[in-house]
Amino acid sequence: MTKKLTGDNIFKVLAAVIAASAAVILLLNAYILITGSTTVLSVFKLDFVTGMNWNPVVGRESFGVLPYILGTLITSSIALLIGVPLSLGIAIFLVEMAPKAVKVAISYLVELLAAVPSVIFGLWGLFVLRFWVLEYIEKPLNTYLGWIPIFSGTPFGLDFLTAGIILAIMIIPTVASVSKEVISAVPDSIREGAYGIGATKWEVIRHWVLSYGRSGIFGAVILGLGRAVGETMAVTMVIGNATGPTAMPRTLFQPGQTLPSLIANGFLEAPTPLEKSAYVGAGLVLLAISLIINIVAHVMVTRVLKVKGGAVE
Amino acid sequence: MLRNKWHSYKFRRFKNRFFYVLCLICAVIAVVPLASILFEVVVRGAPVINLEFLTSNGLKGGIGPAIQGTVILIALTSAIGIPLGVLSGVYLSEFGNNKYATWMRSINDILTEVPSIVIGITAYTLIVIGLIGTFSPVAGAVALTFMLVPIVARTTEESLKLVPNSVREASLALGAHRWRTILSVVVPTAKSGLITGVLLAVARIAGETAPILLTILGNSYFFQGLDAPMDALPLRIFLNSRMPQPELQAQAWGAALVLILMVLALNIGVRLASRGKLRR
């Protein structure tokens, strides 16, 4: 039987073609970043990734993105260190502990936190949070633990730590809501069995629920990491924007930059094609990092929630 | 073993309470930044706001062009992005039982997480350098469309999946074609969930800054055509926040209040209107 040109077939093919738009957009992004960065990559080759200098002066050009790769990883790590335990606490509280009314209210507020535009996080960070961080976190840390290298230097407020803390706040909605789904997906029979042998609520959560949902929660964490790595505006506004060797991370209390903030700060002002290409190259590195992270997260989360789908339906 | 004091009932009960309180504290901490942001935006933004601030151009210190620009961007983006996203979602939900659809679904999810600044670079190269040759609302709308399509596709899929199969079967049993069933029965049934999803997606991209920073540039004037730089609220907030003058910083807070009211009004309104119809 051959396929006839019926309304149904036309509609299906049309919808299928349009459904490819996401793939087209993704490939377009990759294509443009790859072609746009050939100039800088052909000049500097591997030095582009391992170099520390960022010198746009014509004739003495040097472009290396290592400090910004490290900056991205450091701010994201701080975000995970602070944001993940908080998000897990929230998720556990919402699924296992909170009474219905509180649960609804807090879920709602966490969703609203996700709705706040990142530029407003940045504005708040620049004019409010940075002073809190400086007074209540950085100065005490520096005074009492200043002998540890990462807490040395002069606390300033616009630095890696503040950027990491802002990111921690911004990934809470993502990590908390995915973990919440993962924890709700743990079958009740598991809990019943655990209660049946006399475990307390916390023991049930700690030894049964969390270990059952382990890989899903790991997926949620990676998803949060993906968000943190790509976040641009809030970080750009609070990280202090150092370039070149001074951006190389030495302490948490120094201005630095991440890959996104580097691009946001300099891309439009870049006068020469080579410098422009360097920013596109930074974008390519960022895209690569973010794709790897997100594909891993995606695989982990869907695998777990698919199990849930099978169990529930 | 159980004689060990770490396994005594008393200690286990204490641990239980301790972690209960700890989780409660986590939940409270999550609310603090939100409360502080809302408080600061209102307290610092409200004094700046008056009719002149909202309507006059940038040279007079107003944010009229920024509000206008944001509305134009949202309209353009919605016009391109919503049809693409909704139809993608229809495919994923109604014909999505094959390998191709599984791939497209995953790619939508991955595209949602692509850093917005990267999308800004793409739209810049494609439109600002390539097609039009200047910073323009079109370039901004293309960038935002790239972000809108995957979100709308996935929310559309989720809300169409909530339509019971019996509804589809009833329509098909009456002799309607598949496409007719989808367009006149399935989509209307899922209407409120679909609209909720689309509006939340629009609210999300309305506050995006990084991609429009690279594509519309920003200026002080009202709309000057589809091939000229334009202003927008998020961009105005960002640019003003870096200025040393306190009055420009105050304008940033005013613009932030307007933006957050727009975004939160959309969020809260939509969620109240369609409670429980779309689970996110």
Side-chain angles (χ1 to χ4, degrees):
Chain A
M1 207 178 108
T2 53
K3 277 200 173 169
K4 287 202 186 110
L5 205 63
T6 59
D8 269 358
N9 285 336
I10 295 173
F11 183 74
K12 186 177 172 181
V13 170
L14 181 74
V17 169
I18 289 178
S21 47
V24 173
I25 295 170
L26 193 59
L27 289 176
L28 203 61
N29 272 297
Y31 173 76
I32 283 185
L33 292 186
I34 290 170
T35 52
S37 52
T38 45
T39 315
V40 76
L41 289 179
S42 65
V43 176
F44 296 102
K45 308 209 168 57
L46 250 188
D47 285 349
F48 182 67
V49 180
T50 55
M52 298 204 301
N53 206 7
W54 190 274
N55 186 0
V57 176
V58 179
R60 275 184 290 172
E61 284 124 329
S62 168
F63 298 107
V65 292
L66 186 64
Y68 319 109
I69 296 177
L70 294 178
T72 307
L73 297 180
I74 286 170
T75 49
S76 308
S77 312
I78 300 171
L80 291 189
L81 277 177
I82 302 171
V84 168
L86 274 174
S87 309
L88 272 182
I90 296 163
I92 292 170
F93 181 74
L94 291 180
V95 179
E96 306 278 342
M97 298 168 172
K100 187 95 197 297
V102 178
K103 182 175 174 167
V104 172
I106 292 185
S107 311
Y108 204 75
L109 290 174
V110 171
E111 277 176 32
L112 278 190
L113 190 63
V116 174
S118 85
V119 69
I120 292 183
F121 273 104
L123 190 68
W124 175 73
L126 184 59
F127 290 104
V128 181
L129 182 72
R130 84 181 249 212
F131 298 108
W132 296 359
V133 174
L134 180 62
E135 285 303 317
Y136 302 116
I137 301 177
E138 296 190 349
K139 282 187 178 166
L141 275 181
N142 185 247
T143 312
Y144 299 110
L145 297 172
W147 49 272
I148 302 175
I150 58 167
F151 297 134
S152 62
T154 318
F156 179 49
L158 294 179
D159 49 31
F160 285 119
L161 186 63
T162 308
I165 291 175
I166 281 257
L167 285 176
I169 299 168
M170 295 178 75
I171 65 167
I172 284 177
T174 309
V175 182
S177 71
V178 178
S179 322
K180 204 174 89 182
E181 274 186 46
V182 170
I183 294 175
S184 336
V186 175
D188 273 341
S189 54
I190 302 252
R191 294 188 185 84
E192 283 154 13
Y195 282 124
I197 61 169
T200 64
K201 185 160 223 167
W202 174 250
E203 286 162 351
V204 173
I205 294 168
R206 164 77 185 73
H207 295 290
W208 282 273
V209 174
L210 287 187
S211 51
Y212 189 90
R214 202 168 36 206
S215 59
I217 289 168
F218 183 69
V221 172
I222 307 284
L223 210 55
L225 177 63
R227 280 272 151 91
V229 162
E231 173 49 45
T232 311
M233 298 324 292
V235 171
T236 305
M237 290 160 88
V238 299
I239 200 165
N241 303 323
T243 42
T246 54
M248 203 63 193
R250 288 173 306 276
T251 89
L252 293 180
F253 307 152
Q254 79 176 69
Q257 285 223 71
T258 62
L259 288 165
S261 76
L262 175 78
I263 301 165
N265 278 316
F267 184 76
L268 287 184
E269 273 90 43
T272 61
L274 181 61
E275 191 183 351
K276 207 122 214 165
S277 174
Y279 285 106
V280 180
L284 183 64
V285 176
L286 176 63
L287 181 68
I289 295 176
S290 132
L291 280 183
I292 292 169
I293 293 172
N294 283 308
I295 290 170
V296 171
H298 176 77
V299 169
M300 305 221 61
V301 173
T302 47
R303 186 175 294 161
V304 170
L305 293 183
K306 210 180 275 166
V307 172
K308 166 207 177 186
V312 172
E313 281 160 16
Chain B
M1 262 306 265
L2 280 177
R3 309 266 143 159
N4 186 330
K5 78 170 182 181
W6 301 108
H7 288 90
S8 74
Y9 177 61
K10 242 178 159 174
F11 181 71
R12 290 170 58 211
R13 202 177 50 185
F14 165 76
K15 216 162 65 168
N16 193 37
R17 295 216 178 121
F18 174 78
F19 282 106
Y20 180 90
V21 173
L22 203 66
C23 290
L24 178 70
I25 292 173
C26 287
V28 172
I29 288 177
V31 178
V32 171
L34 180 69
S36 171
I37 289 172
L38 294 179
F39 175 80
E40 298 287 342
V41 168
V42 170
V43 166
R44 298 182 191 220
V48 192
I49 291 194
N50 53 45
L51 195 64
E52 210 205 328
F53 177 68
L54 294 178
T55 54
S56 66
N57 70 27
L59 301 177
K60 294 183 189 140
I63 55 166
I67 297 176
Q68 187 199 33
T70 289
V71 171
I72 291 172
L73 270 181
I74 293 178
L76 277 176
T77 306
S78 304
I80 319 170
I82 293 177
L84 286 177
V86 167
L87 261 173
S88 301
V90 164
Y91 180 81
L92 294 180
S93 153
E94 304 301 311
F95 307 103
N97 268 330
N98 51 47
K99 215 164 192 179
Y100 171 73
T102 312
W103 271 98
M104 290 308 140
R105 191 174 293 124
S106 304
I107 290 178
N108 270 296
D109 285 349
I110 290 163
L111 183 61
T112 318
E113 305 289 331
V114 167
S116 57
I117 190 88
V118 164
I119 287 175
I121 296 179
T122 304
Y124 172 89
T125 313
L126 214 57
I127 312 289
V128 176
I129 299 296
L131 270 181
I132 295 192
T134 61
F135 295 96
S136 69
V138 176
V142 166
L144 294 183
T145 300
F146 287 179
M147 310 191 66
L148 185 71
V149 167
I151 313 178
V152 171
R154 295 293 275 127
T155 53
T156 302
E157 185 192 358
E158 295 301 322
S159 53
L160 291 190
K161 274 187 173 159
L162 295 180
V163 175
N165 260 331
S166 53
V167 172
R168 294 186 183 86
E169 285 154 10
S171 166
L172 291 170
L174 286 172
H177 284 294
R178 191 95 183 264
W179 66 270
R180 197 61 207 272
T181 301
I182 293 168
L183 291 185
S184 358
V185 179
V186 178
V187 170
T189 310
K191 196 174 65 187
S192 66
L194 213 153
I195 293 175
T196 305
V198 168
L199 288 180
L200 288 180
V202 169
R204 173 117 167 251
I205 56 122
E208 279 296 336
T209 316
I212 62 171
L213 171 70
L214 302 191
T215 47
I216 67 171
L217 192 66
N219 64 14
S220 305
Y221 307 101
F222 281 99
F223 182 64
Q224 294 180 309
L226 288 174
D227 56 354
M230 191 177 70
D231 209 9
L233 282 170
L235 194 57
R236 184 56 32 218
I237 297 169
F238 174 62
L239 295 176
N240 274 23
S241 74
R242 325 192 110 188
M243 301 292 181
Q245 299 93 321
E247 64 271 19
L248 291 180
Q249 294 175 359
Q251 286 171 20
W253 285 99
L257 179 56
V258 175
L259 179 65
I260 215 166
L261 283 178
M262 278 171 65
V263 171
L264 290 189
L266 262 174
N267 264 277
I268 297 173
V270 161
R271 280 182 212 274
L272 286 181
S274 64
R275 197 174 267 171
K277 289 207 177 87
L278 182 83
R279 278 191 60 235
R280 274 276 303 166

